[in-house]
Each structure stands twice: as structure tokens, then as C-alpha cells.
């Protein structure tokens, strides 16, 4: 594709994005038929809510995989023994361990 037909790259990009775009649009049309609210502002809000609902399983699975990779019991016990509450444990211990860090070593 990249070597022989570079002009079809846009077409292929459009085709591959369709499975991501079509389900929320179809879902919003069904929701709008049930609610019968024709205002454009509400359509945009409802569409954004539908995207959040559709992306939730993907976000949950990635967060769950990250949490399973950590030894949460030991980290929360260590932070509570140092006097941290749940909010501090979440923000200062768990979330920094879930983020990815880019390795910037010189080549």
C-alpha cells in the first residue's frame, strides 16, 4: 500500500475509521427517536455521551490490566503506614505507577 498505491491511503483510512464512527451515529439516531428532542445542542451532548459509553469498555480493560500488573495491596499498605489517606495514595502512589514513561536514553 505504501509503496505501490500511496494515493489510496486516504480511502483506506476512511474505510478503517467507519467501524469507529458508525455505531455511535446509529445509536444516537435510535436514542433521538425515543426521546423526541430535536434540538441540535442536545444531539451533540447525547452523541458525546454515547461516545463515552462506547469507549468505556476499552478504557476499563486497559486500566484493569495496569492495576493487575501492580502490587496494590503492598503499595496501599505502605502508603497508609506512612500516614497517607486514600486520596493521597491514589494521586501520589497508584496513578504515577499506571502512567507510561518514555525512555529518553541517548542512542
Amino acid at each position: 500500500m505504501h509503496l505501490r498505491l500511496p494515493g489510496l491511503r486516504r480511502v483506506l483510512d476512511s474505510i478503517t475509521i467507519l467501524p469507529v464512527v458508525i455505531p455511535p451515529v446509529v445509536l444516537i439516531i435510535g436514542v433521538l427517536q425515543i426521546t423526541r428532542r430535536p434540538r441540535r445542542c442536545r444531539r451533540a451532548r447525547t452523541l458525546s455521551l454515547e461516545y463515552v459509553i462506547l469507549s468505556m469498555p476499552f478504557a476499563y480493560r486497559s486500566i484493569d490490566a495496569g492495576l493487575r500488573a501492580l502490587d496494590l495491596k503492598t503499595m496501599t499498605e505502605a502508603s497508609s503506614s506512612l500516614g497517607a489517606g486514600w486520596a493521597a495514595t491514589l494521586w501520589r502512589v497508584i496513578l504515577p505507577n499506571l502512567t507510561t514513561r518514555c525512555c529518553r536514553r541517548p542512542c
Side-chain angles (χ1 to χ4, degrees), residues 51-67:
Y51 269 113
V52 168
I53 290 171
L54 285 173
S55 66
M56 209 174 289
F58 302 108
Y60 170 76
R61 289 180 187 269
S62 63
I63 293 171
D64 183 50
L67 288 173

Side-chain angles (χ1 to χ4, degrees), residues 49-84:
L49 178 66
E50 298 298 331
Y51 269 113
V52 168
I53 290 171
L54 285 173
S55 66
M56 209 174 289
F58 302 108
Y60 170 76
R61 289 180 187 269
S62 63
I63 293 171
D64 183 50
L67 288 173
R68 285 185 186 200
L70 298 175
D71 188 12
L72 286 178
K73 185 175 180 182
T74 304
M75 285 195 289
T76 54
E77 287 176 357
S79 65
S80 65
S81 70
L82 292 171

Side-chain angles (χ1 to χ4, degrees), residues 76 79-80 83-96:
T76 54
S79 65
S80 65
W86 281 106
T89 301
L90 180 67
W91 288 104
R92 294 183 181 175
V93 178
I94 296 173
L95 287 179

Side-chain angles (χ1 to χ4, degrees), residues 17-58:
I17 199 73
L18 287 177
V20 176
V21 175
I22 290 176
V25 172
V26 171
L27 192 60
I28 191 70
I29 290 171
V31 169
L32 287 176
Q33 287 181 355
I34 293 171
T35 59
R36 303 274 183 197
R37 295 184 182 176
R39 293 187 184 169
R40 288 181 183 246
C41 181
R42 294 185 188 199
R43 286 182 185 174
R45 288 181 189 162
T46 308
L47 183 60
S48 61
L49 178 66
E50 298 298 331
Y51 269 113
V52 168
I53 290 171
L54 285 173
S55 66
M56 209 174 289
F58 302 108

